[in-house]
Every structure is written in structure tokens, then in C-alpha cells.
Amino acid sequence: FTTVKLKCTAACRREILKKFGVNTFIIDNGDGSFNASVKVSNSLGFYQWLAAYGKNITVLEPENVRQNYIKYLRDTLDNYL
């Protein structure tokens, strides 16, 4: 498992807590968004889950997970171009 830092909109708070548990480390950013540190499997399933939230969740770190997710999104987009 890998610890990933996510920036999330307020609309995602319930889903983050539901998926990762009420003890998830969360920091409010003061603008309605929050950062969550979660342990995930760096896998296709995680990227598919992220994609369902669109612009509501951004991978902040680690950089390798961020880059792998960008590649996943580009590969998906290529199916439509």
C-alpha cells in the first residue's frame, strides 16, 4: 500500500470517510476543500475510483502516483480521439 495525499472538494468528504474510515487524516484548507492522506493500492482500480470523482479529487503526492494517474487519464482520453 502507498500513502497518497488527495485534495478534495467539500462534496467528497462523506465518500472519503466512507471509503477510508472515520480515522482518515484530514486537514481543512479554509476554502471549503480539504486534504486527505489515505493508504491505497497504487493500481488500476484506484485510478478508476478517482476518475469517477472527476475534478473533485486531485492527487497531490506522491509524484509517481500523480504521474501514473495522468497516464491513465491520457490513455483513456485516447480512446475518444
Side-chain angles (χ1 to χ4, degrees):
F1 288 93
T2 302
T3 300
V4 176
K5 186 175 180 181
L6 306 172
K7 182 176 181 181
C8 310
T9 63
C12 296
R13 185 176 295 260
R14 182 183 303 211
E15 292 303 316
I16 291 291
L17 294 175
K18 183 177 174 183
K19 181 163 182 69
F20 298 105
V22 294
N23 294 325
T24 300
F25 184 71
I26 289 178
I27 297 176
D28 288 311
N29 293 322
D31 61 359
S33 70
F34 65 94
N35 293 349
S37 294
V38 298
K39 287 191 182 258
V40 300
S41 174
N42 187 11
S43 66
L44 178 61
F46 173 60
Y47 301 139
Q48 290 169 334
W49 175 82
L50 272 177
Y53 290 93
K55 298 187 320 183
N56 291 305
I57 299 178
T58 303
V59 176
L60 298 177
E61 54 187 54
E63 187 62 27
N64 71 309
V65 173
R66 185 176 165 85
Q67 291 303 317
N68 288 343
Y69 183 53
I70 290 169
K71 182 181 181 322
Y72 166 80
L73 292 172
R74 285 186 176 144
D75 291 347
T76 300
L77 182 59
D78 284 346
N79 288 333
Y80 298 92
L81 299 176

